[in-house]
Amino acid sequence: MRTRCKSSLPNPAPQVGKGGRHGALATLIAVVAMSEAFMCLPSSKADEALHPYTVVSDAIPASLTGAPGDAVRGKAIVVSRQTGLCLLCHSAPLPEEKFQGTIGPDLKGAGARYTEGQLRLRIVDSSLLDSGTIMPSYYRLDGLDRVAPAFRGKTVLTADEIEDVVAFLMTLRDDTRHP
């Protein structure tokens, strides 16, 4: 089930330079657009109990599901403007995807820079690493502000989807083709 929504912003994924007034404006636009986009997710999304996990240093070493994810499904989540919304803030070595973000770290080489566990923690709840981050917690239920009633008690992504995204990001080791 997919829900389409229109943003009140003229361009929900602007390509602007970094720094200065324009950098702050780009950040504000991205945060508002992401908030609007999350409001458009179908209400049945991620309606599962949280799988327990253990944070060790800067990582969640074990899979949330006990099984590896699927990189092809992970790519679909990353590029989706309705599910993952990753390219709203991040850029990736996916030239076929237009309007990639510039306020988050480039995903190019993520699989070479981080372990699976480090990527998993950054997706599950990056605020455990940086309390000031603007990256959403994709697998968290408590301590969240301004959650629409239809989405309370639900994660943004399921445990399976988290593992799929991790599997895809691990393929991003250089500029070669990706699944």
Side-chain angles (χ1 to χ4, degrees):
M1 176 168 93
R2 294 282 184 242
T3 303
R4 292 184 177 255
C5 293
K6 292 187 179 181
S7 173
S8 63
L9 300 172
N11 182 356
Q15 295 288 321
V16 297
K18 294 180 180 179
R21 277 189 351 193
H22 296 291
L25 178 61
T27 301
L28 177 62
I29 289 172
V31 168
V32 170
M34 182 173 284
S35 298
E36 287 182 353
F38 280 137
M39 295 298 293
C40 296
L41 292 173
S43 61
S44 63
K45 184 75 176 146
D47 198 11
E48 66 174 30
L50 285 179
H51 292 233
Y53 58 86
T54 303
V55 175
V56 178
S57 185
D58 66 342
I60 299 173
S63 165
L64 298 176
T65 63
D70 179 272
V72 173
R73 287 192 311 254
K75 180 182 179 183
I77 293 165
V78 167
V79 302
S80 171
R81 301 293 174 158
Q82 285 80 38
T83 308
L85 301 159
C86 303
L87 298 183
L88 183 64
C89 295
H90 300 276
S91 61
L94 303 167
E96 67 277 13
E97 297 299 326
K98 303 301 179 208
F99 307 111
Q100 296 186 28
T102 60
I103 64 170
D106 191 336
L107 299 178
K108 176 181 164 187
R113 289 192 307 272
Y114 300 107
T115 66
E116 285 184 12
Q118 289 171 321
L119 289 170
R120 188 175 294 111
L121 178 57
R122 282 157 174 77
I123 299 164
V124 165
D125 187 0
S126 63
S127 71
L128 294 174
L129 298 169
D130 177 3
S131 62
T133 187
I134 63 170
M135 182 163 165
S137 299
Y138 283 85
Y139 198 70
R140 180 176 157 195
L141 296 175
D142 61 339
L144 301 173
D145 297 323
R146 292 174 259 150
V147 178
F151 300 101
R152 289 187 189 131
K154 296 177 176 130
T155 60
V156 176
L157 297 177
T158 66
D160 287 320
E161 290 170 326
I162 297 283
E163 295 306 320
D164 293 342
V165 171
V166 169
F168 171 66
L169 293 176
M170 289 304 294
T171 70
L172 301 181
R173 297 188 172 275
D174 55 29
D175 289 332
T176 60
R177 288 186 61 184
H178 303 287

